[in-house]
Amino acid sequence: MNRSVSLSQQIYETLTSDEYSRVVWFLLAFATVLIFLGIGLRSPWPADEPRFAEVAREMVDSGQWLIPMRGGEPYPDKPPVFMWSIAFFYWLTGSLKAGFLLPNAICGLITAFLVFDLGARLWNVRVGRNAMLLLLLVPQFIVQAKSAQIDMMVACWITIGCYGLLRHFLAGPAWGWYFVAWAFMGLGIITKGVGFLPALMMIPVFYLAWRRKGALAVSPTWTCLLGPVVMLLVAAAWLVPMVLYVNASGSEMFMQYRDNILFKQTAERYAHSWGHIQPWYYFIANVIPSLWFPLPLMLLAGLGRLREAWRNEPGVFLMLGWIVLVVVFFSMSPGKRGVYILPALPMFALSLSVMYTGYPLARWFRPLMGGLQALLGVVLITVGVLAWCNLPRLVEKAADYTKDLGQLHEAGSVLIVAGLIWLLSLFFLRKQHALLRLLVAMSLTWALLSTWGYSVLEPFRTPRNVLANVESTVAGEPDAELGLIEFKEQFILFSKMDVTQFGYFNPPQVQERTAWQWMKAAEHRYVLVSSREKLDCFRMQDGESMGVAHSETWILLSRDAMTPTCPAPNPDKRKVFTTPNPGRWLD
């Protein structure tokens, strides 16, 4: 590809630093529409969103914000900052539908701005602009910014940490930013334990200070040791009150929470993960090539420039060195999820912009990107047409959610429109840079999915249909109560009845035995359970189907389904937690 069609020259005309304000406001407006569109149009969707939303809802309703609670029971898997943010916006707006998505949308916008600002300040406005556009192009970033998983927020805090360190060591001294970086590492720790990751950048910083004299604007000094102190002080702002409160309470339940959050969910989870087990190369071979598309292809299309920048550009060395350390850090743990390395993505986008703005990419890049865009457009249209034609395999798959073929056809229409977007943008922008075409197609597709797509998916992504059937079945019993065995958070969040659960961490057999005793103790009590469960104390055949949600059929069990006897659970394991009318936010 010729230099005349490089990314920086094709997307915009050359800009000077005087145009910073105009460019940043345009980019912020574009990013705001892209990220915020759709907020308020959907409910929390599994797997993680209902859990965080329910914890936040319970914070607001109970007034107890120090220890996250789920279904009346401590939730020990994550520190509380992310749930605090959802609870705050729920309290502020009065709408959980809007409040649960706002924190990550704001964090996504902050992260994108910081990438632009850092590129503009350390290099030039073109570098910053291209870096922000590259970040907004990556599917993983937009998915996380438009959802309510914890990883987008911790990625934002980690990006602030990297921003502060780079501002100090490459354009400093800027001690204020240096200590802000460490403060946000502390905030990241009480958001999700890995918030300290920017500290790994000190390794390439020390290397440059040692081997490349003069490469850094500021060399490390003894004052830098105060940074970790700031980090620990910020983390202690929640950890210390939590530990003091737990110790004073004398509650075994809270003590288990304390030990779990401090030890099991940190070092033990990293070293001996009990879920999401993947091989060491998972991030390199699976996550980065797909979820970070098209940035890995862009990296390959300019390897000559990569070698040059690695040797001669300290900023690229620091960022890429840090990214490698982050990937190695997560690869060493047996438990891996694609979102774990999201915090490295903003610095990767900025690194590519620094290296390739104003430089040509390989000739194969443009036709390859065009071919992939055309292929995806054709695939989307084909699947959409097959949905309209009631392809048996698609009908069978859709049957897990709905028997209404009209809803399958509407989903097919969304896919057809998305495919047309990809093909038409390829045609009308055929003379433009491949990344510009891709950015237009991706942006329009996100707008489609965030509006029409949400309306199509909403009925299938919540259990409201099942719970509405339960409420209708027991409508003549105003004091009816609902129990859940092996519950999922969305069945609490969307229920307009009082909900009782029997210990999230209890084995299913213990939950069942406790539920049997609970039902026997009072009239008008029911248990909702998946048809897949194998029960000993209830006759599943005597239950009543409430419909399908999340690919499972749900059965309502009344007293008529109880067996005559049931072994009592171990008294130490017997737990009963009741949440009154959790679904009133739906009104």
Coordinates of all heavy atoms in Angstrom, one line a residue, residues 516-587:
W516 N -37.3 -27.9 51.5 CA -38.4 -28.8 52.0 C -38.9 -28.4 53.3 O -40.1 -28.3 53.6 CB -38.0 -30.2 51.9 CG -39.1 -31.3 52.1 CD1 -39.8 -31.9 51.2 CD2 -39.5 -31.8 53.4 NE1 -40.7 -32.8 51.7 CE2 -40.5 -32.7 53.1 CE3 -39.2 -31.5 54.7 CZ2 -41.2 -33.4 54.1 CZ3 -39.9 -32.2 55.7 CH2 -40.9 -33.1 55.4
Q517 N -38.0 -28.2 54.3 CA -38.4 -27.8 55.6 C -39.1 -26.4 55.6 O -40.0 -26.1 56.3 CB -37.2 -27.7 56.5 CG -36.6 -29.1 56.9 CD -35.6 -29.1 58.0 OE1 -35.0 -28.0 58.2 NE2 -35.5 -30.2 58.7
W518 N -38.5 -25.5 54.8 CA -39.1 -24.1 54.7 C -40.5 -24.2 54.1 O -41.4 -23.5 54.6 CB -38.2 -23.3 53.8 CG -38.7 -22.0 53.3 CD1 -38.7 -20.8 54.0 CD2 -39.4 -21.7 52.1 NE1 -39.3 -19.8 53.3 CE2 -39.7 -20.3 52.1 CE3 -39.7 -22.4 50.9 CZ2 -40.3 -19.7 51.0 CZ3 -40.3 -21.8 49.9 CH2 -40.6 -20.4 49.9
M519 N -40.8 -25.0 53.1 CA -42.1 -25.1 52.6 C -43.1 -25.8 53.6 O -44.2 -25.3 53.6 CB -42.0 -25.9 51.3 CG -43.4 -26.0 50.6 SD -43.3 -26.9 49.0 CE -42.5 -25.7 47.9
K520 N -42.6 -26.7 54.3 CA -43.5 -27.4 55.3 C -43.9 -26.5 56.4 O -45.0 -26.7 57.0 CB -42.8 -28.6 55.8 CG -43.6 -29.5 56.7 CD -42.9 -30.7 57.2 CE -43.8 -31.6 58.1 NZ -43.1 -32.8 58.6
A521 N -43.1 -25.5 56.7 CA -43.3 -24.6 57.9 C -44.5 -23.6 57.7 O -44.9 -23.1 58.7 CB -42.0 -23.9 58.2
A522 N -44.9 -23.4 56.5 CA -46.0 -22.4 56.3 C -46.7 -22.7 55.0 O -46.2 -23.3 54.0 CB -45.4 -21.0 56.2
E523 N -48.0 -22.2 54.9 CA -48.8 -22.4 53.7 C -48.3 -21.4 52.6 O -47.6 -20.4 52.9 CB -50.2 -22.1 54.0 CG -50.9 -23.0 55.0 CD -51.1 -24.4 54.4 OE1 -51.2 -24.5 53.2 OE2 -51.3 -25.4 55.2
H524 N -48.8 -21.7 51.4 CA -48.6 -20.8 50.3 C -47.1 -20.5 50.0 O -46.7 -19.4 49.6 CB -49.3 -19.4 50.5 CG -50.7 -19.6 50.8 ND1 -51.5 -18.7 51.5 CD2 -51.6 -20.6 50.5 CE1 -52.7 -19.1 51.7 NE2 -52.8 -20.2 51.0
R525 N -46.3 -21.5 50.1 CA -44.9 -21.4 49.7 C -44.7 -22.4 48.5 O -45.2 -23.5 48.5 CB -44.0 -21.8 50.9 CG -44.0 -20.7 51.9 CD -43.0 -21.1 53.1 NE -42.8 -19.9 54.0 CZ -42.1 -20.0 55.1 NH1 -41.5 -21.1 55.5 NH2 -42.0 -18.9 55.8
Y526 N -43.8 -21.9 47.6 CA -43.5 -22.6 46.4 C -42.0 -22.6 46.1 O -41.3 -21.7 46.6 CB -44.3 -21.9 45.2 CG -45.8 -21.9 45.3 CD1 -46.4 -21.0 46.1 CD2 -46.5 -22.9 44.7 CE1 -47.8 -21.0 46.2 CE2 -47.9 -22.9 44.8 CZ -48.6 -21.9 45.5 OH -49.9 -21.9 45.7
V527 N -41.6 -23.6 45.3 CA -40.2 -23.6 45.0 C -40.1 -23.7 43.4 O -40.8 -24.5 42.8 CB -39.5 -24.9 45.6 CG1 -38.1 -25.1 44.9 CG2 -39.3 -24.7 47.1
L528 N -39.3 -22.8 42.9 CA -39.0 -22.8 41.4 C -37.7 -23.4 41.2 O -36.7 -23.1 41.8 CB -39.0 -21.4 40.9 CG -38.9 -21.2 39.4 CD1 -40.1 -21.7 38.7 CD2 -38.7 -19.7 39.0
V529 N -37.6 -24.4 40.2 CA -36.4 -25.1 40.0 C -36.3 -25.5 38.5 O -37.3 -25.7 37.8 CB -36.4 -26.4 40.9 CG1 -37.5 -27.3 40.5 CG2 -35.0 -27.1 40.8
S530 N -35.1 -25.6 38.0 CA -34.9 -26.1 36.7 C -35.3 -27.5 36.5 O -35.1 -28.3 37.4 CB -33.4 -25.9 36.3 OG -33.1 -26.6 35.1
S531 N -35.9 -27.9 35.4 CA -36.3 -29.3 35.1 C -35.1 -30.2 35.1 O -35.2 -31.4 35.2 CB -37.1 -29.4 33.8 OG -36.3 -29.0 32.7
R532 N -33.9 -29.6 34.9 CA -32.7 -30.5 34.9 C -32.2 -31.0 36.3 O -31.4 -31.9 36.3 CB -31.5 -29.7 34.2 CG -31.8 -29.3 32.8 CD -30.6 -28.5 32.2 NE -30.9 -28.0 30.9 CZ -30.1 -27.3 30.1 NH1 -28.9 -26.9 30.6 NH2 -30.4 -26.9 28.9
E533 N -32.7 -30.4 37.3 CA -32.3 -30.7 38.7 C -32.9 -32.1 39.0 O -34.0 -32.5 38.6 CB -32.8 -29.7 39.7 CG -32.2 -28.4 39.6 CD -30.7 -28.3 39.9 OE1 -30.2 -29.2 40.7 OE2 -30.0 -27.4 39.4
K534 N -32.1 -32.9 39.7 CA -32.5 -34.2 40.2 C -32.8 -34.1 41.7 O -31.9 -33.9 42.5 CB -31.4 -35.3 40.0 CG -30.9 -35.4 38.5 CD -32.0 -35.8 37.6 CE -31.5 -35.9 36.1 NZ -32.6 -36.3 35.2
L535 N -34.1 -34.1 42.0 CA -34.5 -33.9 43.4 C -34.9 -35.2 44.1 O -35.5 -36.1 43.5 CB -35.6 -32.9 43.4 CG -35.3 -31.5 42.8 CD1 -36.5 -30.6 43.0 CD2 -34.1 -30.9 43.4
D536 N -34.7 -35.3 45.4 CA -35.1 -36.4 46.2 C -36.3 -36.1 47.1 O -37.0 -37.0 47.5 CB -33.9 -36.9 47.1 CG -32.7 -37.3 46.3 OD1 -32.9 -38.0 45.2 OD2 -31.6 -37.0 46.7
C537 N -36.5 -34.8 47.4 CA -37.5 -34.5 48.4 C -38.7 -33.9 47.7 O -39.7 -33.4 48.4 CB -36.9 -33.5 49.4 SG -35.6 -34.2 50.4
F538 N -38.7 -33.8 46.4 CA -39.9 -33.2 45.7 C -40.1 -34.1 44.4 O -39.1 -34.7 43.9 CB -39.6 -31.8 45.2 CG -39.5 -30.8 46.3 CD1 -38.3 -30.5 46.9 CD2 -40.6 -30.1 46.8 CE1 -38.1 -29.6 47.9 CE2 -40.5 -29.2 47.8 CZ -39.3 -28.9 48.3
R539 N -41.3 -34.3 44.1 CA -41.7 -35.1 42.9 C -41.8 -34.1 41.7 O -42.8 -33.3 41.6 CB -43.0 -35.9 43.1 CG -42.9 -36.9 44.2 CD -44.2 -37.7 44.3 NE -45.3 -36.8 44.7 CZ -45.6 -36.6 46.0 NH1 -44.9 -37.2 47.0 NH2 -46.6 -35.8 46.3
M540 N -40.9 -34.1 40.8 CA -40.9 -33.1 39.7 C -42.1 -33.3 38.8 O -42.6 -32.3 38.3 CB -39.6 -33.3 38.9 CG -38.3 -32.9 39.6 SD -38.1 -31.1 39.8 CE -37.6 -30.6 38.2
Q541 N -42.6 -34.5 38.7 CA -43.7 -34.8 37.8 C -45.0 -34.2 38.3 O -46.0 -34.0 37.6 CB -43.9 -36.3 37.6 CG -44.3 -37.1 38.9 CD -43.1 -37.6 39.7 OE1 -42.0 -37.1 39.5 NE2 -43.4 -38.6 40.5
D542 N -45.0 -33.8 39.6 CA -46.2 -33.1 40.2 C -46.1 -31.6 40.1 O -47.0 -30.9 40.6 CB -46.4 -33.6 41.7 CG -46.8 -35.1 41.8 OD1 -47.3 -35.6 40.8 OD2 -46.5 -35.7 42.8
G543 N -45.0 -31.1 39.6 CA -44.9 -29.7 39.5 C -45.5 -29.2 38.2 O -46.0 -30.0 37.4
E544 N -45.5 -27.9 38.0 CA -46.2 -27.3 36.9 C -45.1 -26.4 36.1 O -44.4 -25.6 36.7 CB -47.3 -26.3 37.3 CG -48.1 -25.7 36.2 CD -49.3 -24.9 36.7 OE1 -49.5 -24.9 37.9 OE2 -49.9 -24.2 35.9
S545 N -45.1 -26.7 34.8 CA -44.1 -25.9 34.0 C -44.5 -24.5 33.9 O -45.7 -24.1 33.6 CB -44.1 -26.5 32.6 OG -43.2 -25.8 31.7
M546 N -43.5 -23.6 34.1 CA -43.7 -22.2 34.0 C -43.1 -21.6 32.7 O -43.1 -20.3 32.6 CB -43.0 -21.5 35.2 CG -43.7 -21.8 36.6 SD -45.4 -21.1 36.7 CE -46.4 -22.5 36.5
G547 N -42.6 -22.4 31.9 CA -42.0 -21.9 30.6 C -40.5 -22.1 30.5 O -39.9 -22.7 31.4
V548 N -40.0 -21.5 29.5 CA -38.5 -21.6 29.2 C -37.8 -20.3 29.3 O -38.4 -19.2 28.9 CB -38.3 -22.1 27.7 CG1 -36.8 -22.2 27.4 CG2 -38.9 -23.5 27.6
A549 N -36.7 -20.3 30.0 CA -35.8 -19.1 30.1 C -34.4 -19.6 30.2 O -34.1 -20.5 30.9 CB -36.2 -18.3 31.3
H550 N -33.5 -18.9 29.5 CA -32.1 -19.2 29.5 C -31.9 -20.7 29.1 O -31.1 -21.3 29.8 CB -31.5 -18.8 30.8 CG -31.8 -17.4 31.3 ND1 -31.6 -16.3 30.5 CD2 -32.4 -17.0 32.4 CE1 -32.0 -15.3 31.1 NE2 -32.5 -15.6 32.3
S551 N -32.6 -21.1 28.1 CA -32.4 -22.5 27.6 C -32.8 -23.6 28.5 O -32.5 -24.8 28.3 CB -31.0 -22.7 27.1 OG -30.6 -21.7 26.2
E552 N -33.6 -23.3 29.6 CA -34.0 -24.3 30.5 C -35.5 -24.1 30.8 O -36.1 -23.0 30.8 CB -33.3 -24.2 31.9 CG -31.8 -24.4 31.7 CD -31.1 -24.3 33.1 OE1 -31.5 -25.1 34.0 OE2 -30.2 -23.5 33.3
T553 N -36.2 -25.3 31.0 CA -37.6 -25.3 31.4 C -37.6 -25.2 33.0 O -36.9 -25.9 33.7 CB -38.3 -26.5 30.9 OG1 -38.2 -26.6 29.5 CG2 -39.7 -26.6 31.4
W554 N -38.5 -24.3 33.5 CA -38.6 -24.1 34.9 C -39.9 -24.6 35.4 O -41.0 -24.4 34.9 CB -38.5 -22.6 35.2 CG -37.1 -22.1 34.8 CD1 -36.7 -21.7 33.6 CD2 -35.9 -22.2 35.6 NE1 -35.4 -21.4 33.6 CE2 -34.9 -21.7 34.8 CE3 -35.7 -22.5 36.9 CZ2 -33.6 -21.6 35.3 CZ3 -34.4 -22.4 37.4 CH2 -33.3 -21.9 36.6
I555 N -39.8 -25.4 36.6 CA -40.9 -26.1 37.2 C -41.3 -25.4 38.5 O -40.4 -25.2 39.3 CB -40.6 -27.6 37.4 CG1 -40.1 -28.2 36.1 CG2 -41.8 -28.3 37.9 CD1 -41.1 -28.2 35.0
L556 N -42.6 -25.2 38.7 CA -43.0 -24.6 40.0 C -43.6 -25.8 40.8 O -44.5 -26.5 40.4 CB -44.1 -23.6 39.8 CG -44.6 -22.9 41.0 CD1 -43.5 -22.0 41.6 CD2 -45.8 -22.0 40.7
L557 N -43.0 -26.0 42.0 CA -43.4 -27.0 42.9 C -44.2 -26.5 44.1 O -43.7 -25.5 44.7 CB -42.1 -27.7 43.5 CG -41.1 -28.3 42.4 CD1 -39.9 -28.8 43.0 CD2 -41.8 -29.4 41.6
S558 N -45.3 -27.1 44.3 CA -46.2 -26.7 45.5 C -46.0 -27.7 46.6 O -45.3 -28.7 46.5 CB -47.6 -26.5 45.0 OG -48.1 -27.8 44.6
R559 N -46.8 -27.6 47.6 CA -46.8 -28.6 48.7 C -47.2 -30.0 48.2 O -46.8 -31.0 48.7 CB -47.7 -28.1 49.8 CG -47.2 -26.9 50.6 CD -48.3 -26.4 51.6 NE -48.4 -27.4 52.7 CZ -47.7 -27.3 53.8 NH1 -46.8 -26.4 54.0 NH2 -48.0 -28.2 54.8
D560 N -48.0 -30.0 47.1 CA -48.5 -31.3 46.6 C -47.3 -32.1 46.0 O -47.4 -33.3 45.8 CB -49.5 -31.1 45.5 CG -50.8 -30.5 46.0 OD1 -51.0 -30.6 47.2 OD2 -51.5 -29.8 45.3
A561 N -46.2 -31.4 45.7 CA -45.1 -32.1 45.1 C -44.0 -32.6 46.1 O -43.0 -33.2 45.8 CB -44.4 -31.2 44.1
M562 N -44.3 -32.3 47.4 CA -43.4 -32.7 48.5 C -43.5 -34.2 48.8 O -44.6 -34.7 48.8 CB -43.7 -31.9 49.8 CG -43.5 -30.4 49.6 SD -44.1 -29.5 51.1 CE -43.0 -30.2 52.4
T563 N -42.4 -34.8 49.0 CA -42.4 -36.2 49.5 C -42.8 -36.2 50.9 O -42.7 -35.2 51.6 CB -41.0 -36.9 49.3 OG1 -40.0 -36.1 50.0 CG2 -40.6 -36.9 47.8
P564 N -43.3 -37.4 51.4 CA -43.8 -37.4 52.8 C -42.7 -37.0 53.8 O -43.0 -36.4 54.9 CB -44.2 -38.8 53.0 CG -44.6 -39.3 51.6 CD -43.6 -38.6 50.7
T565 N -41.5 -37.4 53.6 CA -40.3 -37.1 54.5 C -39.1 -36.7 53.7 O -39.0 -36.9 52.5 CB -39.9 -38.4 55.3 OG1 -39.5 -39.4 54.4 CG2 -41.1 -38.8 56.2
C566 N -38.2 -36.0 54.4 CA -37.0 -35.5 53.8 C -35.9 -35.4 54.9 O -36.2 -34.8 55.9 CB -37.2 -34.2 53.1 SG -35.7 -33.5 52.3
P567 N -34.7 -35.9 54.7 CA -33.7 -35.8 55.7 C -33.4 -34.4 56.0 O -33.4 -33.5 55.1 CB -32.5 -36.5 55.1 CG -33.0 -37.4 54.0 CD -34.3 -36.7 53.5
A568 N -33.2 -34.1 57.3 CA -32.9 -32.7 57.7 C -31.5 -32.3 57.3 O -30.6 -33.2 57.4 CB -33.1 -32.5 59.2
P569 N -31.3 -31.1 56.8 CA -29.9 -30.7 56.5 C -29.1 -30.6 57.8 O -29.6 -30.4 58.9 CB -30.1 -29.4 55.8 CG -31.3 -28.8 56.4 CD -32.2 -30.0 56.7
N570 N -27.8 -30.6 57.6 CA -26.9 -30.3 58.7 C -27.2 -28.9 59.3 O -27.2 -28.0 58.5 CB -25.4 -30.4 58.2 CG -24.4 -30.2 59.4 OD1 -24.6 -29.4 60.3 ND2 -23.3 -31.0 59.3
P571 N -27.4 -28.8 60.6 CA -27.8 -27.5 61.1 C -26.8 -26.4 60.8 O -27.1 -25.2 60.6 CB -27.8 -27.7 62.6 CG -28.1 -29.2 62.8 CD -27.4 -29.8 61.6
D572 N -25.5 -26.7 60.7 CA -24.5 -25.8 60.3 C -24.6 -25.3 58.9 O -24.1 -24.2 58.6 CB -23.1 -26.3 60.6 CG -22.8 -26.6 62.0 OD1 -23.4 -26.0 62.9 OD2 -21.9 -27.5 62.3
K573 N -25.2 -26.1 58.1 CA -25.4 -25.7 56.7 C -26.7 -25.1 56.3 O -26.9 -24.6 55.2 CB -25.2 -27.0 55.8 CG -23.8 -27.5 55.8 CD -22.8 -26.6 55.1 CE -21.4 -27.3 55.0 NZ -20.5 -26.4 54.2
R574 N -27.7 -25.2 57.3 CA -29.0 -24.7 57.0 C -29.0 -23.2 56.9 O -28.7 -22.5 57.9 CB -30.0 -25.2 58.1 CG -31.4 -24.9 57.7 CD -32.4 -25.4 58.8 NE -33.8 -25.2 58.5 CZ -34.4 -24.0 58.6 NH1 -33.8 -23.0 59.1 NH2 -35.7 -24.0 58.2
K575 N -29.3 -22.6 55.8 CA -29.4 -21.2 55.6 C -30.6 -20.8 54.8 O -31.0 -21.5 53.9 CB -28.1 -20.7 54.8 CG -26.8 -21.0 55.5 CD -25.6 -20.5 54.6 CE -24.3 -20.8 55.4 NZ -23.2 -20.3 54.5
V576 N -31.3 -19.7 55.3 CA -32.5 -19.2 54.7 C -32.4 -17.7 54.6 O -32.2 -17.0 55.6 CB -33.7 -19.6 55.5 CG1 -35.0 -19.0 54.8 CG2 -33.9 -21.1 55.6
F577 N -32.4 -17.2 53.4 CA -32.3 -15.8 53.1 C -33.5 -15.3 52.3 O -33.7 -15.9 51.2 CB -31.0 -15.4 52.4 CG -29.7 -15.8 53.1 CD1 -29.1 -17.1 52.8 CD2 -29.2 -15.0 54.1 CE1 -28.0 -17.5 53.4 CE2 -28.0 -15.4 54.7 CZ -27.4 -16.6 54.4
T578 N -34.2 -14.3 52.8 CA -35.4 -13.8 52.1 C -35.2 -12.4 51.6 O -34.7 -11.6 52.4 CB -36.6 -13.9 53.0 OG1 -36.8 -15.3 53.4 CG2 -37.9 -13.4 52.3
T579 N -35.5 -12.2 50.4 CA -35.4 -10.8 49.8 C -36.9 -10.4 49.4 O -37.5 -11.0 48.6 CB -34.6 -10.8 48.5 OG1 -33.3 -11.4 48.7 CG2 -34.4 -9.4 47.9
P580 N -37.4 -9.3 50.1 CA -38.7 -8.9 49.9 C -38.9 -8.1 48.5 O -38.2 -7.2 48.3 CB -39.0 -8.0 51.1 CG -37.7 -7.5 51.5 CD -36.7 -8.6 51.2
N581 N -39.8 -8.6 47.7 CA -40.2 -7.9 46.5 C -39.1 -7.3 45.7 O -39.0 -6.1 45.5 CB -41.3 -6.8 46.8 CG -41.9 -6.2 45.6 OD1 -41.8 -6.8 44.5 ND2 -42.5 -5.0 45.7
P582 N -38.1 -8.1 45.3 CA -36.9 -7.5 44.6 C -37.2 -6.8 43.3 O -36.5 -5.9 42.8 CB -36.0 -8.7 44.4 CG -36.9 -9.9 44.5 CD -38.0 -9.5 45.4
G583 N -38.3 -7.3 42.6 CA -38.6 -6.8 41.3 C -39.4 -5.5 41.3 O -39.9 -5.1 40.2
R584 N -39.5 -4.8 42.4 CA -40.4 -3.6 42.3 C -39.7 -2.5 41.5 O -40.4 -1.5 41.1 CB -40.6 -3.1 43.8 CG -39.4 -2.8 44.6 CD -39.8 -2.3 46.0 NE -38.7 -2.2 46.9 CZ -38.2 -3.2 47.6 NH1 -38.7 -4.4 47.5 NH2 -37.2 -2.9 48.4
W585 N -38.5 -2.6 41.2 CA -37.8 -1.6 40.3 C -38.4 -1.7 38.9 O -38.3 -0.8 38.1 CB -36.3 -1.9 40.2 CG -35.9 -3.2 39.6 CD1 -35.8 -4.4 40.2 CD2 -35.6 -3.5 38.2 NE1 -35.5 -5.4 39.3 CE2 -35.4 -4.9 38.1 CE3 -35.6 -2.7 37.1 CZ2 -35.0 -5.5 36.9 CZ3 -35.2 -3.3 35.8 CH2 -35.0 -4.7 35.8
L586 N -39.1 -2.8 38.5 CA -39.7 -3.0 37.2 C -41.0 -2.1 37.1 O -41.4 -1.8 35.9 CB -40.1 -4.4 37.0 CG -38.9 -5.4 36.9 CD1 -39.4 -6.8 37.0 CD2 -38.3 -5.3 35.5
D587 N -41.6 -1.7 38.2 CA -42.8 -0.9 38.1 C -42.6 0.5 37.6 O -41.6 1.1 37.8 CB -43.5 -0.9 39.5 CG -43.9 -2.3 39.9 OD1 -44.2 -3.1 39.1 OD2 -43.9 -2.5 41.1

